[in-house]
Amino acid sequence: MRSRFRPPFGLTLAAVAAVLFLHIPLLLIGLYAFTTEETAYTFPPPGLTTRWFLEAFQRADLWSALTLSLKVATITTLISLALGVLAAFAVHHGKFIGKEAITFLVILPIALPGIVTGIALRSALKMMSLEFSFWTIVLGHVTFCIVTIYNNVIARLRRTGFSIVEASMDLGADTFQTFRYVILPTIASALLAGGMLAFSLSFDEVIVTTFTAGQQATLPIWILAQLSRPRDRPVTNVVAFFVIIITTLPILLAYRLTRQDEEVQ
Amino acid sequence: MALSSSTFDHANARKASIGRRFSRYFHRHPRLSILLLLALPLLWLGAVYFGSLGALVLQSFFHYDSYSGHVLPQLTGENYLELLSPSNLSIVLRTTSMAVAVTLASALLAFPLAYYSVRYAKGRTKALLYLAVILPLWSSYIVRVYSWKLILAREGIISWFLAQLGMTQLLENVLKLPGIGGASLSMSMLGMWMVFVYIWLPYMILPIHAALERVPKTLLEASGDLGARPGQTFWKVTLPLALPGVVAGSIFTFSLTLGDFIIPGTIGNSSLFIGQAVLRHQGTAGNIPLAAALTVVPMAVMAVYLVIARRLGAFDAL
């Protein structure tokens, strides 16, 4: 539905305003990481400095939060990849009762507010008297990360169809060979895209994590603590800036991967 | 020829590797292979996740002994009755009104951008606009909330901007309004509403964009050929066809606002939202039954909402 006419001025203005609204806050994060102001959020910043980067770099609590977040995101991504691929294959290839229910079950954790998932898992853990640990965080994250892999893989499978798998089997390959040499190369970029989205989803998840982390602090939990009791404003600004950078890169990469995919189609 | 081929098959079968035998077995037993594929995902999502949800709903019917702080597994409806107490009712009402206000504002902001992108943007501009929407969507939620702490602060950019325009007094007056005002923007409902709209806006833009993309060009041409002015075509053809997209987007903005406890805890005054109340009840008091009953509220509201949305055809626009 493309128009030959020029857009009305009001429409252009509203569109530009919405884009600015979405992006000015992120740009401000970039600016405040360099401010010399220590105790307030003064705009414009009275001066610019890079000393907070060095200070943040030397903070042990930040490093441990960062490593925990990276570890959780890595393990979460790996488990979600396995489970997401399995579910996508079952739903795509199989004919069975309750197929709709599987799709529903995969989507449910992101459709329901995070607090519901969080409190449900927390009370279940307590009921079984399990201690909060690294694995309880992963347990929560995987539930809502499976969907990113599942969606990407099933979209790819729908486009490629089952014929190449049948062709491979007809030519004498067994299930594992077919998976290794035919299916895996076809879904590789979908896996990469889904995996990167899962990674960034897990890396900055905070709502479910508050319920399943116990005393451990992931990087978003560390920021959350600063939100309610701002003690290290300049360092928090630097951390916020860093998080934006580290999550933007996988998103851009995932976007490139899925876009190439569409162009091929 | 047929004979030799079958002999070959036999020889091959005898030599068949373990992998080959496995794949034949699975091929002949499709149900077993589906079961094997689904076992782990089902264990995780079905048993762990869905099981926990079920247990939570069950606990909302349990009795909480406020003297001992123990939860007793006696079925009772008292937690739901307690939801109707004035203080809890006002929490539910406050949260739902905020969700409605956020949804309306998101739809109004999202539509022009989606419409512009589908109707007028081409090639690179279109790709850039798409990226401009998905980048904030996927980037850090907590950092995006934090950025508004900087923006809404008394010494922040909004106050500075209004001061440049000589409109500081206007802001002061708005903040004096009952209900939406507060000591400063970051301590007002107005500020909280802005943050909610900012955080959930991309979830509204994408479904509207998808719905608009699906409006057939031929319909618009037909409308024009039959003598409709562009404005008429927009109101009578484009908008009704894009409506399922708006409803689909509102599922997200509505549900996400209902369950959030971080934004009301960071911005705004001390009046509670559903999420905060849940957090408080399950925290120090250990009143899981009441907390569970409170989380059933957003679940129930969303269930009703989804049924209506499905009737309006929003699921095709997801």
Side-chain angles (χ1 to χ4, degrees), chain A residues 2 23 41 43 127 175 237, chain B residues 23 59 126 132 146 150 155:
Chain A
R2 204 131 288 130
H23 288 273
Y41 299 124
F43 186 91
M127 248 191 273
T175 308
N237 291 338
Chain B
S23 33
Q59 284 184 84
K126 194 168 176 157
Y146 179 71
L150 312 175
E155 67 277 13

Side-chain angles (χ1 to χ4, degrees), chain A residues 1-3 5 21 23 25 40-44 86 94 109 111 115 117 122-123 127 139 173-175 204 237 255, chain B residues 20 23 34 37 44 49 59 118-120 126 130 132 140 146-147 150 155 160 198 212 220 255 259 261 275 282:
Chain A
M1 60 178 270
R2 204 131 288 130
S3 170
F5 306 109
F21 179 61
H23 288 273
Y41 299 124
T42 315
F43 186 91
L86 287 172
I115 190 165
T117 308
R122 186 187 178 93
S123 73
M127 248 191 273
L139 184 83
D174 63 39
T175 308
D204 50 49
N237 291 338
Y255 170 73
Chain B
R20 186 109 197 101
S23 33
I34 292 292
L37 282 174
W44 204 293
Y49 176 70
Q59 284 184 84
V118 171
R119 189 103 199 250
Y120 297 102
K126 194 168 176 157
Y130 181 68
S140 174
Y146 179 71
S147 72
L150 312 175
E155 67 277 13
W160 174 83
Y198 169 72
L212 283 171
L220 303 180
S255 154
F261 62 88
Q282 68 87 39

Side-chain angles (χ1 to χ4, degrees), chain A residues 148-220:
Chain A
T148 65
I149 319 281
Y150 174 84
N151 275 349
N152 272 286
V153 172
I154 207 154
R156 176 68 53 89
L157 289 175
R158 279 193 187 129
R159 264 183 254 139
T160 47
F162 199 55
S163 51
I164 53 161
V165 174
E166 282 169 346
S168 158
M169 302 286 237
D170 286 348
L171 291 169
D174 63 39
T175 308
F176 305 102
Q177 287 170 326
T178 306
F179 183 78
R180 168 74 184 80
Y181 296 107
V182 178
I183 298 171
L184 207 56
T186 355
I187 62 168
S189 63
L191 282 183
L192 202 56
M196 276 188 285
L197 292 178
F199 189 91
S200 63
L201 206 59
S202 163
F203 185 77
D204 50 49
E205 210 287 332
V206 64
I207 294 191
V208 177
T209 317
T210 43
F211 288 96
T212 56
Q215 297 299 311
Q216 311 161 87
T218 60
L219 202 53

Side-chain angles (χ1 to χ4, degrees), chain A residues 1, chain B residues 103-118 201-215 234 238-239 241-250 252-253 314 317-318:
Chain A
M1 60 178 270
Chain B
T103 301
L104 288 177
S106 310
L108 286 178
L109 266 174
F111 202 93
L113 179 56
Y115 189 71
Y116 182 91
S117 167
V118 171
L201 183 61
Y203 291 86
M204 184 61 99
I205 298 174
L206 288 178
I208 297 183
H209 191 278
L212 283 171
E213 284 277 18
R214 273 199 293 267
V215 175
F234 176 79
T238 312
L239 197 60
L241 287 172
L243 202 64
V246 180
V247 177
S250 73
F252 292 109
T253 54
L318 278 177

Side-chain angles (χ1 to χ4, degrees), chain B:
Chain B
M1 182 66 197
L3 190 82
S4 72
S5 138
S6 110
T7 331
F8 173 78
D9 269 355
H10 261 282
N12 209 28
R14 234 174 295 135
K15 276 190 288 177
S17 64
I18 299 175
R20 186 109 197 101
R21 260 185 258 163
F22 260 117
S23 33
R24 279 204 184 155
Y25 187 75
F26 288 136
H27 196 71
R28 283 181 199 140
H29 300 83
R31 278 181 195 202
L32 181 75
S33 47
I34 292 292
L35 195 72
L36 275 179
L37 282 174
L38 278 178
L40 281 173
L42 267 185
L43 193 70
W44 204 293
L45 287 173
V48 176
Y49 176 70
F50 208 68
S52 309
L53 275 186
L56 184 70
V57 174
L58 183 68
Q59 284 184 84
S60 72
F61 294 100
F62 282 1
H63 173 73
Y64 173 74
D65 189 286
S66 50
Y67 297 106
S68 64
H70 286 307
V71 176
L72 305 171
Q74 306 160 338
L75 292 183
T76 160
E78 62 191 24
N79 301 305
Y80 289 94
L81 276 180
E82 206 174 327
L83 286 187
L84 298 175
S85 73
S87 63
N88 282 329
L89 213 54
S90 79
I91 292 175
V92 171
L93 214 63
R94 183 180 302 123
T95 313
T96 319
S97 339
M98 179 59 89
V100 171
V102 169
T103 301
L104 288 177
S106 310
L108 286 178
L109 266 174
F111 202 93
L113 179 56
Y115 189 71
Y116 182 91
S117 167
V118 171
R119 189 103 199 250
Y120 297 102
K122 290 182 209 70
R124 269 187 86 83
T125 325
K126 194 168 176 157
L128 275 178
L129 278 179
Y130 181 68
L131 257 185
V133 176
I134 59 160
L135 258 184
L137 174 74
W138 285 96
S139 77
S140 174
Y141 160 85
I142 190 81
V143 170
R144 293 178 72 220
V145 175
Y146 179 71
S147 72
W148 280 82
K149 196 100 177 156
L150 312 175
I151 294 169
L152 296 176
R154 199 185 288 280
E155 67 277 13
I157 188 167
I158 290 187
S159 302
W160 174 83
F161 188 72
L162 289 176
Q164 299 301 306
L165 298 175
M167 282 158 60
T168 307
Q169 194 52 45
L170 181 77
L171 179 66
E172 296 291 323
N173 290 341
V174 170
L175 286 176
K176 278 189 198 125
L177 293 175
I180 61 167
S184 72
L185 262 180
S186 68
M187 282 186 266
S188 69
M189 288 292 169
L190 182 67
M192 193 197 295
W193 172 74
M194 289 159 78
V195 180
F196 268 128
V197 173
Y198 169 72
I199 299 288
W200 309 134
L201 183 61
Y203 291 86
M204 184 61 99
I205 298 174
L206 288 178
I208 297 183
H209 191 278
L212 283 171
E213 284 277 18
R214 273 199 293 267
V215 175
K217 199 182 167 189
T218 47
L219 274 186
L220 303 180
E221 282 167 358
S223 167
D225 290 346
L226 292 170
R229 277 175 276 110
Q232 282 176 314
T233 305
F234 176 79
W235 289 106
K236 301 240 158 117
V237 181
T238 312
L239 197 60
L241 287 172
L243 202 64
V246 180
V247 177
S250 73
I251 296 174
F252 292 109
T253 54
F254 202 81
S255 154
L256 291 167
T257 309
L258 278 187
D260 196 282
F261 62 88
I262 287 175
I263 296 171
T266 310
I267 313 285
N269 51 37
S270 55
S271 39
L272 291 179
F273 278 64
I274 292 180
Q276 293 167 288
V278 170
L279 198 64
R280 201 167 281 191
H281 287 307
Q282 68 87 39
T284 41
N287 192 348
I288 298 270
L290 185 58
L294 268 168
T295 57
V296 172
V297 174
M299 281 198 257
V301 173
M302 283 323 293
V304 174
Y305 204 106
L306 286 176
V307 170
I308 299 172
R310 192 177 190 139
R311 289 233 174 121
L312 292 171
F315 283 12
D316 306 325
L318 278 177

